[in-house]
Each structure stands twice: as structure tokens, then as C-alpha cells.
Amino acid sequence: MKSLEDLVSLPHVVVAHRGASGNAPENTLTAIGLALEAGALMIEIDVQLTTDEQIVVFHDPSLERTSNGHGEICRSSSAELKKLDAGSWFGERFRGEKIPLLDEVFQLIRGRACINVEIKPPAAGEDWRKRIRLITAATAAAEMTPFTLFSSFHHDSLRYLNSLKQGFHSAALLPSGDQRPVSEVLRDTGCQAFVCSLRQLTPELAADIAAHDIFTGVYTINTGQEAELALQRHARGLVTDFPERILHYLETRAQ
Ligand code: G3P
Ligand code: MG
């Protein structure tokens, strides 16, 4: 089993975006299981907090797009969320799929892959420092810290996470419109790694990444052509909805 330290020394790492979200409903145990079966070495998920301070795996601030629930996820309890169907929006055969807890995902991937826990921006008025403490404490309690990369667009959260000085690994996501050099973003947040979209990965940004040897992930890489461009521009983490497709592309490319 590879730890994060092992992964950063590889020429490229396929990261399953919200699990194998091209083939199964995003951020569910089924999507994560498919990504593991495909051989992804890292699984990316999004996390948020419920009213009873449980950490749940879900992308949007509101429930409508990827479940049969309504309203904001931060105003729901974990018990309410567990009653929802987070599968049938994607396909009838996924009906009954649940919104997982972070701990359930840890149990599934333990010993099989690393995890990228993306901490979603806080809701208005949410105590984001407390949220960071809860998420990092759950990770440490599950003994998953060496296998977990935290990331966020919310740089205050990242600064706070790194100020805890507990050996957490972190990557800064680049908010749209942020024009700073990558090296400056990392200095500012205390992160070791960086993640941006393929559109944001300009030749200038790529030159900065290469000059400072920064481990960079790029999303969303769903074709061989996109993978090729990302690799040319020095990205090493390929964040994809179709891990089996990108793994196959990289295998044939190496032959
Ligand atoms: O970590 C890459 C990607 O997940 C960031 O955007 O919206 O898909 O969570 P999003
Ligand atoms: Mg994400």
C-alpha cells in the first residue's frame, strides 16, 4: 500500500474525481468502489458538515442535484441525510445509494488507495475552524493521516489546518481569478501541493510549477488528449471522472 509520500515520487497519479463519477453517482461508496477496482491510487471526495457535526461526503451546498432531498446540506442532520436516495438521479440501477460518512469511505479505501479530502467552502456563518478540527480529528482517529491529502478552495481553512502543525498533507485549489504564482499560493497557505483546472494551467503557470518542482494535480482529465496536455504542462495528478480510461491511456502511452 502506497502512502502519499510514495505517490508524490511517481511520474503520474490517477485521481478518481468524486470516485469513478463518470460511471456511478458521484461521492458514493459504489463510485469509490469502482475507482478502486479500476486501480486508481487516489480517490477524491468532497466533504461537508451536518447539524449534528457528522462529516458527510457530498459536493453541492444544496441537496437537489444529486439526491432526492431538498435544501441546504449544512441545515440537515446525518439521520435525515441517511434517508435520502443519492443514486437514482444518475440511473435507476443506483436507486437506494446513500450519502456516505467520511468514516465509511475511510473503511472502504483503507489499505487500498490514498484519499484526497476536499473541504468545501463553509456556509455563511459556519464555524470553519471547528469544521477543520472535526475533519482532521476524524482522519487522525481513523489513522488515515499518512494516506490523506486535504484540499480546499477556502484558503483560510488551509492556513488554519496547516497552523495545527500535526503533519497533515495539503493542496491548495486555485480559486478562479487568482493570478498569483503557484509558489506564492503555497507560501501563503502552507500547503505542499497544488491543484487547478486544465484551463487554469497556462504555460506560465506550468513554468512556475516546473521551476519550483511543485506536485500539481489538474482537473478534469477525461480524455487522452487532456491527459497529454496536462503532462506536458508538468501536472502529475490527473483528476478524472473515468479512472479506467485514463489508466488505460497511460499504460498504452508507456508501451
Ligand atoms: O479537486 C478537484 C475538484 O474536485 C475541484 O472542484 O467542484 O469538482 O469539487 P470540484
Ligand atoms: Mg472536489
Side-chain angles (χ1 to χ4, degrees):
M1 170 59 203
K2 288 184 165 51
S3 69
L4 276 179
E5 304 280 349
D6 302 322
L7 292 199
V8 294
S9 63
L10 298 175
H12 37 64
V13 178
V14 170
V15 182
H17 184 229
R18 314 179 194 174
S21 61
N23 298 319
E26 64 183 55
N27 284 324
T28 63
L29 294 181
T30 296
I32 294 163
L34 285 178
L36 292 170
E37 280 168 31
L41 293 182
M42 182 179 277
I43 315 289
E44 188 262 358
I45 57 163
D46 307 286
V47 298
Q48 310 196 52
L49 217 61
T50 62
T51 52
D52 53 331
E53 298 186 346
Q54 296 296 304
I55 305 154
V56 285
V57 180
F58 201 80
H59 181 271
D60 294 1
S62 56
L63 293 164
E64 282 79 0
R65 182 178 65 88
T66 59
S67 85
N68 62 346
H70 298 284
E72 292 174 90
I73 191 157
C74 67
R75 298 193 193 286
S76 314
S77 70
S78 56
E80 285 162 353
L81 294 179
K82 277 294 178 196
K83 291 183 195 144
L84 299 180
D85 169 13
S88 55
W89 68 275
F90 191 88
E92 194 49 43
R93 71 195 170 99
F94 299 103
R95 179 174 291 279
E97 193 76 45
K98 300 289 178 215
I99 296 171
L101 297 170
L102 177 60
D103 262 328
E104 294 174 306
V105 174
F106 281 154
Q107 297 319 321
L108 180 60
I109 76 159
R110 180 186 301 284
R112 300 172 75 187
C114 287
I115 186 165
N116 173 198
V117 173
E118 184 191 336
I119 302 165
K120 282 294 169 202
E126 199 174 353
D127 183 348
W128 50 265
R129 289 183 186 83
K130 184 177 184 185
R131 202 164 68 134
I132 293 293
R133 289 195 297 274
L134 289 166
I135 294 166
T136 53
T139 306
E143 299 183 345
M144 287 298 286
T145 301
F147 307 101
T148 301
L149 179 69
F150 295 103
S151 63
S152 189
F153 286 108
H154 188 248
H155 288 187
D156 285 338
S157 288
L158 292 172
R159 267 189 291 273
Y160 181 64
L161 181 144
N162 287 314
S163 78
L164 298 175
K165 299 210 180 310
Q166 291 177 33
F168 299 120
H169 304 280
S170 59
L173 280 156
L174 189 66
S176 65
D178 191 336
Q179 303 283 339
R180 290 174 299 166
V182 180
S183 40
E184 194 181 319
V185 172
L186 296 198
R187 249 195 319 277
D188 176 43
T189 54
C191 293
Q192 306 84 44
F194 173 73
V195 181
C196 66
S197 70
L198 187 55
R199 192 178 45 79
Q200 289 172 318
L201 188 57
T202 59
E204 294 72 33
L205 209 87
D208 190 36
I209 287 163
H212 294 90
D213 193 23
I214 295 165
F215 186 92
T216 297
V218 66
Y219 63 93
T220 310
I221 303 299
N222 285 343
T223 66
Q225 211 178 5
E226 288 165 340
E228 208 52 58
L229 180 59
L231 293 172
Q232 267 172 25
R233 296 196 175 170
H234 310 291
R236 282 189 279 154
L238 303 178
V239 185
T240 177
D241 300 330
F242 297 95
E244 74 295 342
R245 189 189 290 171
I246 300 304
L247 281 161
H248 177 73
Y249 175 76
L250 293 173
E251 273 162 30
T252 50
R253 179 183 187 263
Q255 281 160 13

